[in-house]
Amino acid sequence: MANPIEQFKIKPIIPLEIGGVDVSFTNSAVMMVISVVLITAFLTLSVRSRALVPGRWQSMAEVFYEFIAGMLRDNVGSAGRKYFPFIFSLFMFVMFGNLLGMVPGAFTYTSHVIVTFGMAIVVFTGVTIIGFARHGTHFLRMFFPEGAPIATAVILVPIELISYFSRPFSLAVRLFANMTVGHIILKVLGGFVVTLGGFYVLPGIVPFAFLGAVTVLEFGIALLQAYVFTILSCIYLHDAIHMH
């Protein structure tokens, strides 16, 4: 049976080194470029006609648009409207990365914690800057809730600080762990199907049935994790804009 971890190996496509630092164009970078190209093509072609009665592709684009717009409106309010392009781009990039990773032989860049942490730290840094830009030093009140007794500061402030600075880690690990575990399970079950089916046809049916069910579940998880990553980003944005 093939090593289920092998699918996560970063492989250089175009080896490149600058100043002793490896900056090779890898299989992960290839999938990111493909994802961006597909997203751009999908959105550009789907709204090109701008028909009053939308066609199939335009309807799909409008569904995504309304979905993210509604998410921002419900979680951030009207003040979050200006951040729609970023939140929408974030959702599409994560979703396409998750779904493209389901293609046999493709590389899932969202299964690498360095990628998910990179996105998470951008969100974390962005909302922190927004918080200080809107509220100044009053943003530090995030770490000590309004109306709380001053005597509780020694307990509440450390708890709030730990909670706040753990956000990018939890955001990154959640997406990375779900995508990694799901792909490992698919690889293991696929190995069982090949191994058992190679000698006996009937014993291979059971793992094949499980493989089909897990594949459907994994598609659902791919969409769900894109939603979770995005809605948590909206919640963090809400905290930066509206405080507690």
Side-chain angles (χ1 to χ4, degrees):
M1 186 182 295
N3 184 356
I5 306 298
E6 186 69 22
Q7 60 182 311
F8 305 115
K9 186 177 180 180
I10 300 274
K11 299 175 182 178
I13 305 298
I14 303 176
L16 185 62
E17 189 173 303
I18 299 176
V21 179
D22 186 3
V23 290
S24 301
F25 192 71
T26 64
N27 51 347
S28 178
V30 168
M31 292 307 298
M32 290 185 200
V33 171
I34 291 174
S35 180
V36 171
V37 169
L38 288 178
I39 294 169
T40 304
F42 166 64
L43 294 175
T44 302
L45 297 175
S46 61
V47 300
R48 184 174 56 179
S49 61
R50 298 182 182 179
L52 186 61
V53 179
R56 189 173 304 170
W57 290 101
Q58 186 176 335
S59 295
M60 288 179 61
E62 289 180 0
V63 165
F64 287 125
Y65 180 94
E66 290 295 333
F67 178 68
I68 300 303
M71 186 189 300
L72 261 175
R73 184 172 54 251
D74 294 341
N75 291 280
V76 186
S78 60
R81 192 176 303 163
K82 66 172 73 174
Y83 306 106
F84 173 83
F86 173 74
I87 297 296
F88 183 79
S89 300
L90 187 68
F91 172 78
M92 297 297 284
F93 186 72
V94 174
M95 184 184 71
F96 269 71
N98 292 351
L99 293 178
L100 285 175
M102 295 297 296
V103 177
F107 185 87
T108 313
Y109 56 79
T110 49
S111 67
H112 272 257
V113 72
I114 189 63
V115 176
T116 59
F117 184 74
M119 293 188 292
I121 203 68
V122 167
V123 172
F124 175 78
T125 304
V127 297
T128 302
I129 291 173
I130 291 169
F132 277 108
R134 290 181 66 94
H135 306 288
T137 55
H138 186 66
F139 183 65
L140 296 174
R141 292 290 299 180
M142 274 281 294
F143 308 114
F144 188 65
E146 197 79 39
I150 193 67
T152 61
V154 292
I155 298 175
L156 290 180
V157 171
I159 290 175
E160 291 290 341
L161 281 171
I162 293 171
S163 175
Y164 188 79
F165 284 99
S166 67
R167 286 179 173 184
F169 299 99
S170 63
L171 195 61
V173 171
R174 184 182 290 104
L175 176 58
F176 143 75
N178 275 281
M179 300 314 299
T180 300
V181 170
H183 281 69
I184 289 176
I185 292 174
L186 286 176
K187 189 73 172 182
V188 170
L189 288 176
F192 282 143
V193 172
V194 173
T195 303
L196 295 176
F199 296 96
Y200 307 101
V201 176
L202 288 178
I205 294 176
V206 176
F208 181 77
F210 275 112
L211 178 62
V214 172
T215 301
V216 173
L217 178 63
E218 189 65 14
F219 271 106
I221 290 174
L223 296 172
L224 178 64
Q225 288 306 311
Y227 167 77
V228 170
F229 194 94
T230 309
I231 197 169
L232 285 175
S233 300
C234 289
I235 291 171
Y236 299 158
L237 181 60
H238 170 273
D239 289 345
I241 293 174
H242 303 292
M243 301 286 284
H244 285 286

